[in-house]
Amino acid sequence: MKKVLLTLPLLLLPLLANAQAKFGYFSLQEALRSMPGYAIAQKNLSTLSAQYDDEMRLAEEEFNRKYEEFLDGQRELAPSILQKRQTELQQLMSRNIAFRAEAKRLLSQAEEEAYAPLRKQLTQLVQQIGHEQGYAFILNTDNDSLPYVDPEQGEDIMPLIKASL
């Protein structure tokens, strides 16, 4: 993906050679943060993340409590009971690890779903601005993908995006 982003400006050089072509650029992340729905999505994701964090903390506390009980009483336990408790602790640890991985996956999925409508709206807005302003293309400046732009040849469209939001 980065390779494509880095080669895109090179592929667009022939267009730039024609002095008539103009282009726009903007920061996708800055534009997303400017959108009204962004704060709501952030709040919802923070709430969900806190719920998962609380559940993971409770599971960790349960494991620690059971492990301490096991350590305190292991000398008095019969070998078969000792083995049973060790197995229970291993299973509990495995479930906690699996839950942590699943929570991370679900949070990532929730983030994608929360931002999808915003990204769609922003894409439509950028396309509209590009058409109205007669741009040959519009570039995203995030992640150092566009370290330099000559302001006489390209235009920052962030003010247009913010005004349209």
Side-chain angles (χ1 to χ4, degrees), residues 23 145-151:
F23 65 94
S145 61
L146 192 64
Y148 172 75
V149 174
D150 184 345

Side-chain angles (χ1 to χ4, degrees), residues 125-145:
L125 178 60
V126 168
Q127 289 172 350
Q128 177 185 343
I129 290 171
H131 180 71
E132 290 172 358
Q133 299 294 320
Y135 294 125
F137 52 89
I138 298 176
L139 299 169
N140 177 5
T141 60
D142 291 345
N143 301 324
D144 275 339
S145 61

